[in-house]
Amino acid sequence: MWRSGWRTSGVLRRLSGRSASLGAWRWASTTACERALLRYRVGEKIHGFTVSQVTSVPELTLTAVKLSHDGTGAQHLHLAREDRNNLFSVQFRTAPADSSGAPHVLEHTVLCGSQRYPCRDPFFKMLNRSLSTFMNAFTASDYTLYPFSTQNPKDFQNLLSVYLDAAFFPCLRELDFCQEGWRLEHEDPSDPQTPLVFKGVVFNEMKGAFTDNERIFSQHVQSRLLPDHTYSVVSGGDPLCIPDLTWEQLRQFHATHYHPSNARFFTYGNFPLEQHLKQIHEEALSKFQRIKPRTAVPAQKPWDKPREFQVTCAPDSLAAGSSEQTTISVSFLLPEYNGCTRDAYFSVGLQGIAEKDIQTVRDLVDRTLDDIIEKGFEDDRIEALLHKIEIQMKHQSVSFGLALTSYIASCWNHDGDPVELLKLGSQVARFRKCLEENPKFLQEKVKQYFKNNQHKLTLSMKPDDKYSEKQMQLETEKLKQKVNSLSPEDKQQIYEKGLELQAQQSQPQDASCLPALKVSDIEPRIPFTEVEVALAAGDTPVQYCTQPTNGVIYFRAFSSLNTLPEELRPYVPLFCNVLTKLGCGGLDYRELAQQVDLKTGGLAAAPHVLPDDSHLDTYEQGVLFSSFCLDRNLPDMMHLWSEIFNNPCFEEEEHFRVLVKMTAQELSNGVPDAGHLYASIRAGRMLAPAGDLQETFGGMDQVRLMKSVAEMTDIKPILRKLPRIKKHLLNCDNFRCSVNATPQQMSQVENSVDSFLRTLSRSKKERKPVPPHVVEVRLCPLPARRARKPSESKPCSLAFDPVLPCSHLSLAVKSPDWRATWAGDAAASELEASRRCTLTLIVSSVHFLERTLPAHLSLGVFSFLWETFYFQKPAPKGPGRHSLVTRKLVMDPTFKPCPMKTHFLFPFPVNYVAECIRTAPYAAPAHASLKILARLMTAKFLHTEIREKGGAYGGGARLSYGGIFTLYSYRDPHSTETLQSFLKAIDWAKSGRFTQQDINEAKLSVFAAVDAPVAPSDKGLDCFLYGLSDEVKQAHREQLFAIRHEDLVDVSNRYLGAGRSTHGVAVLGPDNASIAKDPSWVIR
């Protein structure tokens, strides 16, 4: 994977990283931290390493241990912290001299087999033989990083062995270089009469990367601001230069750069350091001698005067206004600071402006600098920044080890002190002292590094209508040049090598040499999370989850959209995006932004479509509000929410216009990196009622809508929609809340949340829901202050019942003599198996409704039963901790899934392809089989067909919580051919051509995702949003364990085969003649 320097996140973002579900509980970190502090001494020898530094970093609750390897000089940093999610990484300084992509191609190729593990592609095979929480590799501008993480000690040793052998003893076979890097090959490898073309995974990856205008611009900024050395070239590879790289050059690059003397090892977590050092020394470092690597990157020579350049890019068909697609930035070299390159730099600019406004932006930057030098910064702005650092140090990162290794990588790569970089608390203290001693400290720095800095670059980029055509022409000329230089013998050799590669890719691989965990290594049960539910402000349910949140309080609220008029729904994402940015109460948008930074870790709102776990045609729609703060700031945070809900400012038209343009631009920028997701959303649009709303909220429809809104000359009609949406959304009518905090904070939290809710408005009369059928689902909470054990469960209406053999929402019909004689044998046997005094009717079981009744009738029966047999359990006594959480689910008894094929035309050189299939919801037994099947198809068929043979950067299969089975490809040179590969994959699955070992590996991979650690901030979130209890998750877990070969073949035939379930297809990419001729496709 290639990382461009411009997009490397800042310190705070990398340390907070909330995108995955990997937890780090800092509150309990003292054990590993103190153990390391007491155990290690400077000068101590451990398995060929010598300890050089032992330092406590209390602000991150860890102990840093620095070592060096005696024989090779390799550096090692261990961060001891009480986190089960342990991480390893090794990085090499890799400074390329040209844009042929040597470090990037090498990153791919070393993972294709090694001396100890010579099978093809051990990296991808280990994804299915491990319980890793993360595995990947990254090529940055001047280093290459290989990280993995896992919670299992045995798994850590297995992965470490594979990574060490791959990095230091790779096979680097020529055919692997051809597959991963680039090659000349016939369009049809088996037909020498077809034209020769460029192929290769990295080649196609970089073609896709440079369809992103942001990435093009960032690369130009770096290469032109730092032109004297490695940053002037593209480390990932320029598609026009990648074909200049030879296999011998690749091997030489490895020999000079992948040596222990040029390596930096990193370990993190609570596993013993000694075992890591012993394995690293014995399996790798003991086999090398110290060398003096010649990989240092020299400092950039400063300029004596500013420079400016203009470059071009392709027009953005999704951006607002063809005349306003110019980008400009002003950048400064900052040689004394840490950044993503040897010499850091600072850039500020604007995107989406008219070319005539370039000078206006330059003047604005200059005026702003002058103003700061003269007046300085407001104290509150400085405090807001320092508060942000404080809260991010306390915030429970979801993958802390990975964030740390990424954070220190660049500094350490250039011989900086990574431990000093981690001491954020002392850095803040020094900063405060500097300000105290010299109130003009910041003004002087601005003057020094910006106003008086002659190393200043002004770069602008404007669209060129013929840009893509020119790039294609350059590639054609490059190909022609390569082909014309070939002799007949060369062409014959290319043909034979293509056949050889095709044969190798098709040959079954023996992976028995690779280490692997067993299914028996997986924990049989999940740890239960205790949650409570109480009524606040009268009748609003609030879920409380006590967690070690390190003094941070996490608040969420969910508001239903059921009463919102249909014509307003497309504007809900925009409403959410601007709600916290337009000002409120007595605060304008600038003052609100400052208060948010000063008092919280951020306020956010986002639309959600939440599928039901029991029926494909049922879902919940709403908006999730979320925020977090230090405990001392809780009243301030809730006051901000109160002002936003009650007194939002919808009058600032000009700022609203700016936010609209920013939103449209961000959506447009995201398409090249997430094209497969947009294709998947479109392909699933007509398969379930929730699909259309998902497309409206987050698909290409939303991207195109925001483009049209941003182009409007009069934006008042859109602005007037916001108060209308507010009336339906920002009230207590259909509202529930959730809080995660420590036990000591809960009393304060309850009072603050109750006060907040009492400020919210309520409708004087009940609004009718807009969807035709809305069903209320009440879920019984767990008993207060303790987790419910299965043996303690009691029958209650619409509760998750852990005793039942299947995991569905159930209806308790309080009549022991009543019999559902029409339910069929499958349902009856399940009812008998429950052995309950009350009869539990499973109304959403696939085995019952979807097999015995037509879809429209099953929904009708479902709705009828829900309304007819709804009985409520008597409320337990107690002070408000017995309330039921109500979810209002949308149903459409008239919905019928239908197939749809859509081709979105983009001037991309690659495609994003998706095919979606309607299958079974989470609670259905078939869902577990389909989840295993998706992983099995990815690892054992689609990876080979789409990536290795097809040359796409990625591809596979996945199953959504809502039961949509998706086959997809990413940055794919093919489209219709890939759709044929999807058909072959389904045939392969139906035929059952996989072994028990294959199934076990798929289970390991699935459980690695299922058991990924969850941050304290997110504990109980599935229960809050989906009503998904730990008992239901445990039942699903047991279904996963029980999957057999025949189950997988059965669901393949029952759901995936032609005519069995409804399919939807979507492609994002260039014009395709065969699609254009097919009338079944919709061209957009």
Side-chain angles (χ1 to χ4, degrees), residues 748-764:
Q748 177 195 10
V749 167
E750 291 177 13
N751 292 333
S752 293
V753 172
D754 186 83
S755 298
F756 159 68
L757 291 171
R758 291 186 185 279
T759 69
L760 302 189
S761 63
R762 298 175 185 272
S763 300
K764 295 180 181 179

Side-chain angles (χ1 to χ4, degrees), residues 220-478:
H220 279 296
V221 168
Q222 180 174 291
S223 62
R224 293 177 186 273
L225 189 67
L226 305 168
D228 291 354
H229 200 263
T230 190
Y231 306 115
S232 64
V233 303
V234 183
S235 63
D238 184 330
L240 296 175
C241 300
I242 291 174
D244 296 331
L245 181 66
T246 68
W247 178 44
E248 285 301 326
Q249 289 172 338
L250 185 83
R251 292 163 61 87
Q252 183 59 33
F253 194 90
H254 179 270
T256 55
H257 292 79
Y258 279 48
H259 190 281
S261 300
N262 190 46
R264 288 154 180 80
F265 294 88
F266 176 92
T267 49
Y268 162 90
N270 63 359
F271 291 166
L273 170 61
E274 289 83 353
Q275 173 60 39
H276 302 336
L277 299 178
K278 182 175 186 291
Q279 190 172 353
I280 292 170
H281 173 73
E282 292 179 353
E283 295 188 15
L285 303 193
S286 62
K287 302 170 185 178
F288 291 87
Q289 299 296 320
R290 185 191 298 259
I291 64 169
K292 187 173 182 179
R294 301 180 181 276
T295 58
V297 178
Q300 169 65 45
K301 182 180 178 181
W303 299 341
D304 55 8
K305 62 179 180 180
R307 302 178 185 180
E308 58 182 86
F309 297 94
Q310 186 171 76
V311 296
T312 60
C313 64
D316 188 342
S317 61
L318 294 175
S322 59
S323 63
E324 295 184 346
Q325 292 193 23
T326 295
T327 301
I328 178 175
S329 76
V330 181
S331 305
F332 304 87
L333 185 71
L334 305 177
E336 297 178 20
Y337 289 83
N338 291 310
C340 58
T341 50
R342 165 67 170 78
D343 297 306
Y345 57 89
F346 173 89
S347 294
V348 59
L350 287 175
Q351 187 178 16
I353 67 168
E355 187 176 4
K356 63 182 177 60
D357 292 329
I358 288 177
Q359 188 58 46
T360 303
V361 175
R362 297 177 63 171
D363 294 342
L364 177 62
V365 171
D366 291 339
R367 282 200 310 273
T368 302
L369 294 177
D370 290 339
D371 189 57
I372 292 171
I373 292 169
E374 179 184 352
K375 301 177 182 178
F377 295 98
E378 296 175 11
D379 290 344
D380 275 356
R381 290 196 176 187
I382 296 172
E383 287 303 319
L385 176 62
L386 297 179
H387 168 264
K388 183 178 288 187
I389 295 173
E390 180 185 5
I391 198 171
Q392 295 297 358
M393 285 192 295
K394 287 179 170 288
H395 173 58
Q396 303 300 294
S397 171
V398 289
S399 54
F400 200 63
L402 181 62
L404 289 176
T405 193
S406 300
Y407 171 48
I408 67 173
S410 185
C411 169
W412 198 16
N413 188 51
H414 299 291
D415 301 319
D417 186 349
V419 177
E420 195 63 30
L421 198 63
L422 295 173
K423 297 179 180 178
L424 297 175
S426 60
Q427 292 173 29
V428 169
R430 286 198 302 270
F431 176 76
R432 285 190 181 279
K433 186 177 181 181
C434 288
L435 278 180
E436 183 181 340
E437 294 175 348
N438 178 11
K440 291 190 175 183
F441 173 75
L442 285 177
Q443 291 158 269
E444 292 173 0
K445 290 298 180 184
V446 170
K447 186 174 183 180
Q448 175 186 353
Y449 290 116
F450 300 124
K451 182 68 176 178
N452 296 337
N453 190 346
Q454 295 301 302
H455 201 115
K456 172 183 176 182
L457 171 72
T458 302
L459 180 71
S460 61
M461 182 175 73
K462 66 176 185 179
D464 177 357
D465 290 339
K466 295 187 178 298
Y467 181 86
S468 298
E469 182 182 328
K470 291 175 182 176
Q471 291 298 113
M472 186 67 70
Q473 182 61 35
L474 289 172
E475 183 181 326
T476 300
E477 291 174 2
K478 184 80 172 183

